[in-house]
Amino acid sequence: MREIITLQLGNLANYTATHFWNAQESYFTYAGQEESLVDHNVHWRAGLGADGTETFLPRTVLYDLKGGFGSLRKINPLYDAASDTTVAADSLWTGPSTVHQQKPVTPSAYQESLDSGTKHPPLTTSTVRYWSDFSKSYFHPKSLVQLYDFELDSAIRPFERFDMGTELFTSLDKEQDILDRDWRPFVEECDLMQGMQVFTTIDDAWGGFASSYLEALRDEYPKSCIWAWGIQSPLADISREKRQLRLSNTAQSLQQAYTQASTVVPLALPESQLWPHIELDCNSPWHISSLLATVSESALIPSRLKGCNGASLADCAESLNTSGNRTIASAGMFIPTDTRDGMDTGDNLSFFQIGQDSSKVKNRPEHIFGQIICHRGPNTEQAEPEETADTRRRQILGNCLTRNYFTKLQFPLLDSYPHIYRDVINRQSIPVHTVLKTTTSISARMKDLRSQGTRLIRLDEREALGNSLAEIADAYQDDWSSGSDEDDDEL
């Protein structure tokens, strides 16, 4: 059935994935509506609630720290078969008990309207306190895993270093095998799993946790396709020390994910100005994650489409990784806007913000090894150009391999999605074009990351990390440039 299981690690990753699941929920069609273009069985699992009613819940396992879930309950109404008093009565202790309960988080007005079926109040940056405040989906109780070792946004013990994440995973895995407890139940439900999708932050301790998790997944499922979206928080308005720490975490996370995942796509908002028609609050994770979710949800929409318009995760990964050693890819997005002449205009927005040191980037033409272009919107139902002997020859020679995918299904603008597009008024969806590609420019970016992101690494580990990043950079060089005069010894 081409199932995909999603893994969510970290608070900003959960914000992004919440937008993703809200979009998937909007694709459901009901009696009297046109059949959906999306195969819901890919990302959703059928089951039975506590009272025997049929359920359809996301195939996901999500982790967050203490305080990160907001008002979201682990046992939702679909599985709430017994009240708290009944559970206490059924416990092993028959004597009197005293309950010490932390004051629960008050649900947002938006969530209360969803529960009561009333009109939804508009969401704002002040009313969205947690990612659960705008979530439209129920989750299976086994999907929600709260880690109590650290607290969200703690000033005393912040969860911010790569080593903290690896140590936390190791300690939890020793107590009880994490994959057996949290992951395997969802895999065993699948008929024919096409792969796994991971949303994780890579510039904090979750990068270390994700690295250990990916290694465990690769050991357990050596032939499965794993797509990892490496999310980075904005670097604006933070101290130099914090910026350096995030670069160090990113360097270690990418080095580990490069060897374990089938494809790794770093996602970060550009530090420069966004499109003129986008109004984004970079201090709001709700706003930041909306753009990151738009590009990630649209770029892999072929993996969930019905019929011949779709493609598997493995097909997409092979189109980008043409040589077998280029697992890091860049992501870009373009939203067409109508002009008076009826033409589409706009600039491509790049989400690949690794190694932004333009002083070291030489003015060389960018060579593309492989790219996937997804066109969403009206008048995009086109057939891919017929493969000819010449195109086959170009692929054999190792030149650019391009795959185009077309669908009339636009990206939905839901009431849970922030109003960040100035020119879009009273529209329920927008066309989106995305590009995933592997290019020679990644080589220079990884070299910059090597020079900038290894300064805080311990001396005994710095050389190994630097050599690994240099090998990654070499994989993105053309044959003619592999012996270039760029001097790396100074790094």
Side-chain angles (χ1 to χ4, degrees), residues 152-177:
L152 183 68
D153 298 330
S154 172
I156 300 176
R157 194 183 177 212
F159 195 57
E160 61 180 4
R161 291 187 172 276
F162 182 89
D163 293 341
M164 289 181 173
T166 57
E167 292 170 2
L168 177 59
F169 182 91
T170 302
S171 63
L172 295 176
D173 202 43
K174 284 182 178 179
E175 295 176 5
Q176 188 173 2
D177 192 304

Side-chain angles (χ1 to χ4, degrees), residues 208-484:
F209 193 89
S211 298
S212 299
Y213 212 118
L214 286 173
E215 183 178 3
L217 288 175
R218 182 53 73 198
D219 289 342
E220 190 71 21
Y221 310 98
K223 296 183 179 180
S224 295
C225 183
I226 303 176
W227 273 75
W229 301 99
I231 299 171
Q232 301 164 262
S233 302
L235 292 174
D237 300 328
I238 64 171
S239 64
R240 181 179 178 181
E241 292 76 13
K242 289 284 187 181
R243 180 184 289 258
Q244 190 62 49
L245 176 60
R246 290 187 182 182
L247 287 173
S248 174
N249 293 331
T250 301
Q252 296 176 87
S253 299
L254 286 181
Q255 184 267 333
Q256 292 291 330
Y258 175 83
T259 61
Q260 305 297 339
S262 306
T263 303
V264 184
V265 185
L267 293 179
L269 295 184
E271 294 187 51
S272 58
Q273 188 176 1
L274 293 170
W275 292 324
H277 58 277
I278 291 184
E279 187 174 7
L280 199 72
D281 184 354
C282 291
N283 294 318
S284 169
W286 178 48
H287 274 222
I288 297 169
S289 59
S290 64
L291 271 183
L292 304 183
T294 303
V295 65
S296 58
E297 198 276 333
S298 299
L300 284 185
I301 197 168
S303 65
R304 64 188 74 99
L305 289 177
K306 295 178 180 178
C308 59
N309 292 329
S312 68
L313 290 181
D315 292 337
C316 294
E318 291 174 1
S319 299
L320 296 172
N321 189 6
T322 55
S323 66
N325 61 347
R326 301 186 187 111
T327 58
I328 296 177
S330 64
M333 184 177 70
F334 166 71
I335 298 179
T337 56
D338 297 330
T339 65
R340 295 179 181 179
D341 298 329
M343 300 296 290
D344 289 336
T345 61
D347 297 320
N348 185 67
L349 183 63
S350 175
F351 292 88
F352 191 83
Q353 302 298 313
I354 301 296
Q356 287 284 18
D357 189 353
S358 58
S359 62
K360 291 187 177 183
V361 178
K362 298 185 177 181
N363 295 323
R364 289 179 175 174
E366 180 184 64
H367 174 71
I368 300 176
F369 301 106
Q371 62 179 347
I372 301 172
I373 306 176
C374 294
H375 310 261
R376 303 183 65 173
N379 304 320
T380 58
E381 288 289 350
Q382 304 175 15
E384 193 169 350
E386 182 180 356
E387 186 179 47
T388 63
D390 185 55
T391 58
R392 288 193 296 268
R393 175 176 168 272
R394 289 200 301 269
Q395 294 175 17
I396 293 174
L397 291 176
N399 288 342
C400 177
L401 174 62
T402 300
R403 290 284 182 264
N404 287 278
Y405 298 97
F406 304 89
T407 178
K408 64 181 181 180
L409 181 65
Q410 300 189 122
F411 182 80
L413 294 180
L414 308 173
D415 53 18
S416 60
Y417 195 87
H419 298 289
I420 60 177
Y421 305 109
R422 296 173 180 171
D423 301 331
V424 177
I425 302 176
N426 297 327
R427 293 183 60 177
Q428 297 181 344
S429 60
I430 55 173
V432 175
H433 298 171
T434 61
V435 179
L436 299 177
K437 58 184 178 180
T438 51
T439 72
T440 50
S441 65
I442 295 178
S443 176
R445 298 291 192 88
M446 296 305 298
K447 289 179 180 179
D448 289 342
L449 181 63
R450 178 192 176 195
S451 63
Q452 299 172 4
T454 58
R455 297 170 184 172
L456 296 184
I457 306 300
R458 292 185 307 181
L459 188 61
D460 57 335
E461 299 177 356
R462 187 183 305 170
E463 182 177 0
L465 176 60
N467 291 338
S468 297
L469 294 176
E471 292 176 2
I472 296 174
D474 290 341
Y476 291 87
Q477 291 183 341
D478 276 332
D479 292 338
W480 60 267
S481 64
S482 59
S484 64

